[in-house]
Every structure is written in C-alpha cells, then in structure tokens.
Amino acid sequence: MAILELNDVHSYYGNIHALKGISLNVEKGEIVTLIGSNGAGKTTTLRTIQGLIRPRTGSITLEGEELTRLPAHEVNRRGICQSPEGRLIFPRMTVLENLEMGAFTRTDHSNIGQDLERVFGLFPRLKERVKQKGGTLSGGEQQMLAMARAMMGNPRLLLLDEPSMGLAPLLVETIFDTIVALNKQGITILLVEQNARMALSIANRGYVLQTGEIRLQGDAARLRDDEEVQKTYLGGH
Amino acid sequence: MTETNPTTQRALRILLIVAIGYLALLIGQPAGLDVGRIITDVATTPTNVLQQLVIGLANGSIIVIIALGYTLVYGIIELVNFAHGEVFMLGAFTSLMALSIFTTTTATGGLTAPFWAALLGFIPAMLVCGLLNAGIERLAYRRLRNSPKLAVLISAIGMSFILQNIGLQFGALGKLTQVGPEFQIFQVLGSNNAAPKSFPVVLSTANLLGDFPIRITQADVLVMGTALVLMLTLNWFVQNTRLGKAMRATAQNRDAAAMMGINVDQIIALTFLIGGALAGAAGMMFGLYNGTVVFTMGFTAGLRSFTAAVLGGIGNIRGAALGGILIGLLAAFSDQYLAVRWTNAWVFLILVLVLLFRPTGLLGQESGDKA
C-alpha cells in the first residue's frame, strides 16, 4: 500500500485555484520528486499535505489514515516531517534547540539522543555549531539544519521543499548525496525541486506539475528522456 | 524617498533634536520644567533624589511586570493587546477581594489584613487574570488571526472598554453590605461604584533603615522582590522548558512551529495565560504599594507599560525589564521635580520619540521572523 496518497486534491489561496485535482502516491522506501516551474503548485502541494492549507475537496491519506482535515501539528504527529521552502529555521534559537524542536512531539526520549548523533553524522558541520544561533548560519548550513530538524521527528515520510535553492553547485551535490543517504537508511522522501535534472537523477519516480495540474508522471529515467520535459525543464540540448 | 547623503541626514537629525530640546525648554515651563527650581530643590534636599530612586524602582518593577504581558503577546502574534491594562486593573480588584476575606476592622476604624493573606492573594489574582486574558484571546482575537492587523487592534480596544466597565460595575457590589452581614467581604468596595477603593493595610510603613533620611519600607522590598522572582521565573521558563521553547519557536515562525507538531493555538493561549497571570500579580503589587485602586487605573498603567515595552524593544523580554525600570524612574522624578499632572505627558513624549527615532527600542525588536 502506498504510504502517501493524494486523490483529486483541490486547494485555493483565497480565490485563486492553486491545485486543480492533484492525484499522486508515494510508496514506502521511494524517492518521488515533484518538478515544475515557478508557480506550478509544488510548494502548495506540500503545504496541503502538511495541513497548512486545507484542501477544498479531495482526500489525502497516510497509510490509509485520513489526513485531509487535520491541522499541521496533527499531521506532524502522524509522521510527516518537512524541510520547508525558505528553510524556516528558528533564527534566534541555537542549532541544538532547533533540532530539539524537530523532536518536539516525540515520546521515545531514549531514541532522541541516538537520532541526534545520526543527523550529526550526516551533517558534521552542524555538530561544530550546536551552540550557534540558527540565524547566524550560512545558507547551506541553514538548509542542512532544516533537513536535520525534519529528520529529528523520525518521519515516516520526509517532505523536502527546494533543498537546493540558493546554494552553490558544490553544496547542491552534497545535499543531494545526503538525500540519497537518507533514503538508503529507509526513509521515504517526497522531493520538490526546480533543479529537475538533479531531482530526476536520484528519484525513483517523478511528477511534472504545470499550473496546478499533473502534466506527466512516471519513472524518473523515462521522464528524463521525455522530449517535452527536456525542452521545458532540463533546458534542451 | 529622495536620496540625501548621510552627513546631511545626520545634520538634519541633530538639528531636529536641538529644535525639540529648545521647544521642550520653551513650553516645558508650564509643565513644571523650571530648571532654577529643580536646582534649588536638589541642593536643599539631596536625599530626595535617592528617595525618588527607590520609589521609581518600586513603581518601575510593577511597570515591568505589566510590560512583560504586552511584550510576550506582541512577540507571538504581533498584536498590541490594548485590553492588557484593564486586565491589570481587574487583577487589582481581584486582589482586593481576595484580601477582603481576611480583612478586619481596627480600633481606629481602618481596614487591615495579615501579611500571609497578601502573599496568598497573589494566587487567585494570577489565576483569575490568566484565565481572563486567555479567554479574551479565545473570544476576541483568535477568530481574527488571519484578518488584517487593524481588525484585531480594534477588537482589543473594544475589549478594553468592556473590561473597564466591568471594573466600574464591580464597585457596585459594595452595596451588598447593606443587604446583610453575610456580605461583609464587600465592605472593602465602599458605597460608591466609581470611587477609588482602599486596600486594607497589610504592610508596615516603618522605615527599614531606621532614622536614615531615605525610607525603604516593607512594600518597597516586597514589590521589587516579587518582580525579580517573577522575571527570573519567566526567563527560566521561556529559555529552558519544553513549552517555553515552543513559545519562542512559535514567535519566531508560526508555520515552522506547526510543522514541528507544536499546537500553535494552544501556545498562543498559554502566552496570554502567562501575560494575564503577570498582570494579576502586578495588580496585587500595585494595591499593596499604592494603597488604592480605581477602575480607571488600567489606562495609565497600560500607557506606561506599553511605552516601557516599546522603549526596551517590543517583543523582547529583557527590553521590557529595562524599559519598565526607566519609565518608573522617569515617572518618579517627574512627579517630584516637574509636575505630577504632566507625568503622563512626558511618558507619551518618550513613546512618540522612540517610535520616531528608534522604533526597534533600546535592545532591539525580537518578534517575527524576517531573517
């Protein structure tokens, strides 16, 4: 059974019809990517899954359990953690406090220390800066912190929104390597990216969004070879 | 905005400050700003300066505790809770009622209550005001959370009118004493709704320093001590506890906090609860220190505390502490050396000047997440 399933989801920003019937699914252990240009509805899809936007119609289920009308904090408690667009780290809290907030709802306190070591293993840079305030980190470090913070929630499904945004190419490589490493540890990932080439190179499957609708879907390798995708999102050749 | 070079800008600013200073000297005369008299006063009784320092610190402590309520709420939802001063006023009334249970009439006809009753009285005052403030949020602010800020602000002003009228009508309960002896606890309210109510005498007015020309009474020590304990407790709570951290996270980024599984509505309610409880404690402190409470006192206290919060940097807990002490001192020295009836005008002037020249306050704003 799919871990996450969206069925004909419609979301609005005020009167703007932002998602026009999104249906998608994510299977356990997969990396699934949502690609598309600015304003296609990628972030809106993640915000709707998270419960920050309430869909007008349609349903969202997590392993069969209905999430559609739940507020964001309840969605988090059911195991969906997000590294959001723009990172949204807590700028006046230390790196350690940011990570603690990631584990806010957990009751298995004995495992939290272990997970902390795990994210420090993935992001050694953060360990060096535990006592530093989040707002004083560089862009790349903030991105690492946002991902590490989401990891601290021990998610069943990890949502990553534009983890490569605004980062130097070398850092982008590191971030994508980490995403693959996370996936190898058994974490299911839904990845939103503008950097379609990178996203499709690590994903199992992909969806192409255009103005709030799913335009194409399928195996990442097949999408990469698709003529239309190449022309529009991979900059031709 | 036209581009001017920084030197011109600085020159203009200095000129503006000089002009304001000149105007202050000119029109300050009727407002008590008589430099000659002030020099004579200070020269003849220099101990008065220290005395006002003590009074200013004590009143400043009360202002700090109220200002914390403004600053906590502003920090988390960027709302100036105009009803906060009235919550403080109702806190003073609750304190008065809590004390009235233990109030006895002395041989000379005055009202008195034991010291432990005053300490015990903090509990109902803080509880009632905490719940009241959280109730106000639930009733008047929560459903406006996604409306323009002006809507919430107007709602807050409306709430303050309602609360002030509750304070006025509350005084009418004093009439119940005419119904029967079982209503004796209402005798502290007197027979006139609107008149100031006297707090029973709880603390000795003797000078703890003996014959020393500067008076420090039990009330001074109690008020400053309580304020210190409350401030340190709040600071510890916000810095170290799980809920305190959730409060900070919510203040810094509400969406991110919700993504972490923090129930943002609950945290906002908790913030109002804490702010209200502090206002309730301040009500008791005010009553014990100043001896009388009146239903209009929320306005003055609110103005001074709000100014204190803005002066220190609204949203910033340490800023509220600094601003509160400074405003308390300003008020005390203005009362002594300028003129009592102009003190609020000076406080207002500070508010205007801070908003004009340094809107982030002395220690900087800490609210919102624009980083």
Side-chain angles (χ1 to χ4, degrees):
Chain A
M1 185 176 46
I3 252 199
L4 178 79
E5 203 162 347
L6 269 70
N7 196 357
D8 195 27
V9 169
H10 289 257
S11 284
Y12 288 75
Y13 277 119
N15 286 325
I16 299 162
H17 197 171
L19 297 187
K20 301 167 187 160
I22 300 285
S23 298
L24 59 83
N25 61 70
V26 180
E27 304 290 331
K28 208 173 170 72
E30 272 189 316
I31 298 181
V32 173
T33 183
L34 282 180
I35 56 177
S37 48
N38 256 336
K42 305 185 300 290
T43 296
T44 310
T45 306
L46 289 198
R47 287 177 69 85
T48 305
I49 295 170
Q50 185 78 59
L52 289 163
I53 299 171
R54 233 169 242 201
R56 237 179 244 185
T57 56
S59 83
I60 304 168
T61 53
L62 183 72
E63 290 188 283
E65 190 189 358
E66 192 69 38
L67 294 183
T68 321
R69 303 266 168 253
L70 291 180
H73 67 271
E74 289 292 343
V75 173
N76 169 283
R77 276 162 211 225
R78 279 159 182 73
I80 296 186
C81 298
Q82 179 167 180
S83 161
E85 185 185 25
R87 296 139 199 173
L88 311 190
I89 55 150
F90 303 116
R92 289 180 304 280
M93 293 176 106
T94 63
V95 167
L96 187 63
E97 283 174 329
N98 266 280
L99 295 173
E100 279 173 26
M101 296 326 290
F104 184 76
T105 57
R106 288 175 65 175
T107 45
D108 53 333
H109 298 286
S110 48
N111 297 332
I112 292 178
Q114 207 178 313
D115 280 357
L116 201 59
E117 283 313 310
R118 185 168 69 143
V119 299
F120 283 150
L122 285 166
F123 304 106
R125 192 82 72 85
L126 294 180
K127 190 168 189 175
E128 294 163 23
R129 301 180 189 263
V130 256
K131 292 213 166 102
Q132 212 169 310
K133 292 259 193 294
T136 65
L137 299 180
S138 72
E141 290 162 349
Q142 290 193 4
Q143 184 56 53
M144 293 176 195
L145 180 55
M147 284 171 64
R149 186 179 63 175
M151 288 301 305
M152 289 302 291
N154 192 21
R156 286 153 83 184
L157 172 67
L158 180 64
L159 309 179
L160 299 175
D161 198 345
E162 303 265 8
S164 75
M165 189 162 49
L167 299 186
L170 205 67
L171 257 171
V172 175
E173 295 269 358
T174 318
I175 294 283
F176 274 86
D177 287 346
T178 314
I179 296 172
V180 173
L182 286 176
N183 183 246
K184 288 231 170 78
Q185 291 179 9
I187 294 165
T188 312
I189 294 168
L190 178 56
L191 169 70
V192 156
E193 259 300 337
Q194 280 211 44
N195 190 338
R197 192 185 302 277
M198 287 293 272
L200 287 173
S201 71
I202 63 163
N204 302 93
R205 289 188 300 120
Y207 292 85
V208 179
L209 251 71
Q210 200 172 45
T211 56
E213 284 170 293
I214 288 176
R215 182 71 192 245
L216 287 166
Q217 56 179 296
D219 280 345
R222 238 195 40 229
L223 284 178
R224 223 172 14 218
D225 297 336
D226 186 279
E227 209 170 299
E228 195 186 331
V229 173
Q230 292 214 336
K231 221 167 55 201
T232 323
Y233 304 105
L234 304 178
H237 46 142
Chain B
M1 285 283 278
T2 50
E3 296 247 349
T4 38
N5 79 52
T7 331
T8 327
Q9 244 175 11
R10 198 172 311 132
L12 276 173
R13 185 163 289 193
I14 292 169
L15 196 67
L16 192 60
I17 292 170
V18 171
I20 289 174
Y22 179 71
L23 268 176
L25 284 171
L26 207 65
I27 60 175
Q29 201 79 350
L33 192 68
D34 181 341
V35 179
R37 182 179 51 75
I38 293 170
I39 291 173
T40 325
D41 277 5
V42 173
T44 46
T45 45
T47 50
N48 259 351
V49 177
L50 288 173
Q51 186 63 63
Q52 290 307 324
L53 198 69
V54 173
I55 295 173
L57 284 176
N59 275 319
S61 303
I62 299 171
I63 294 173
V64 168
I65 298 304
I66 308 171
L68 286 174
Y70 278 104
T71 233
L72 283 175
V73 164
Y74 187 88
I76 210 148
I77 57 169
E78 292 185 25
L79 162 73
V80 178
N81 181 9
F82 276 112
H84 194 68
E86 312 308 330
V87 174
F88 156 74
M89 176 271 293
L90 289 176
F93 275 70
T94 313
S95 308
L96 181 61
M97 291 318 297
L99 272 181
S100 72
I101 301 167
F102 308 101
T103 296
T104 46
T105 312
T106 59
T108 51
L111 297 173
T112 180
F115 182 65
W116 54 264
L119 290 185
L120 218 61
F122 273 101
I123 296 168
M126 291 176 79
L127 210 61
V128 167
C129 288
L131 293 175
L132 174 68
N133 212 29
I136 292 170
E137 189 270 329
R138 184 78 188 79
L139 194 73
Y141 306 152
R142 185 175 299 182
R143 59 195 72 213
L144 296 173
R145 184 103 24 99
N146 296 318
S147 317
K149 278 184 188 152
L150 195 59
V152 201
L153 213 57
I154 291 168
S155 188
I157 292 169
M159 219 52 231
S160 85
F161 285 137
I162 293 172
L163 296 178
Q164 196 175 103
N165 275 288
I166 290 175
L168 172 61
Q169 299 307 330
F170 190 79
L173 293 177
K175 299 236 163 52
L176 279 173
T177 45
Q178 297 162 11
V179 177
E182 66 272 27
F183 294 113
Q184 271 313 304
I185 58 160
F186 292 114
Q187 70 167 333
V188 289
L189 294 174
S191 55
N192 181 345
N193 291 10
K197 321 290 179 205
S198 292
F199 245 61
V201 177
V202 175
L203 303 166
S204 146
T205 51
N207 189 354
L208 296 176
L209 301 179
D211 289 336
F212 201 67
I214 299 158
R215 288 174 64 84
I216 295 183
T217 62
Q218 279 183 0
D220 290 312
V221 176
L222 180 77
V223 163
M224 289 188 231
T226 312
L228 199 64
V229 168
L230 289 173
M231 271 190 284
L232 292 178
T233 311
L234 179 72
N235 196 50
W236 169 82
F237 176 82
V238 169
Q239 292 301 328
N240 298 313
T241 64
R242 187 177 126 89
L243 283 174
K245 286 178 185 174
M247 268 172 72
R248 280 193 290 147
T250 306
Q252 290 174 32
N253 196 307
R254 207 185 295 166
D255 274 357
M259 283 180 209
M260 301 299 114
I262 295 169
N263 185 339
V264 169
D265 279 345
Q266 262 176 22
I267 292 297
I268 292 174
L270 174 73
T271 307
F272 274 85
L273 187 85
I274 294 172
L278 290 172
M284 177 60 106
M285 289 156 73
F286 184 92
L288 292 174
Y289 194 72
N290 293 307
T292 56
V293 296
V294 61
F295 77 99
T296 53
M297 70 192 234
F299 173 74
T300 311
L303 165 69
R304 290 183 183 183
S305 310
F306 173 59
T307 306
V310 171
L311 177 61
I314 195 152
N316 182 329
I317 291 178
R318 284 178 196 133
L322 175 68
I325 296 294
L326 288 177
I327 294 295
L329 290 173
L330 171 87
F333 283 104
S334 164
D335 284 354
Q336 172 78 22
Y337 294 110
L338 303 172
V340 174
R341 64 181 185 283
W342 284 89
T343 299
N344 280 345
W346 293 115
V347 174
F348 242 129
L349 185 69
I350 297 281
L351 180 61
V352 171
L353 290 180
V354 172
L355 289 176
L356 270 179
F357 293 108
R358 202 182 159 85
T360 53
L362 295 174
L363 298 189
Q365 216 155 339
E366 272 217 5
S367 63
D369 166 40
K370 313 291 177 270

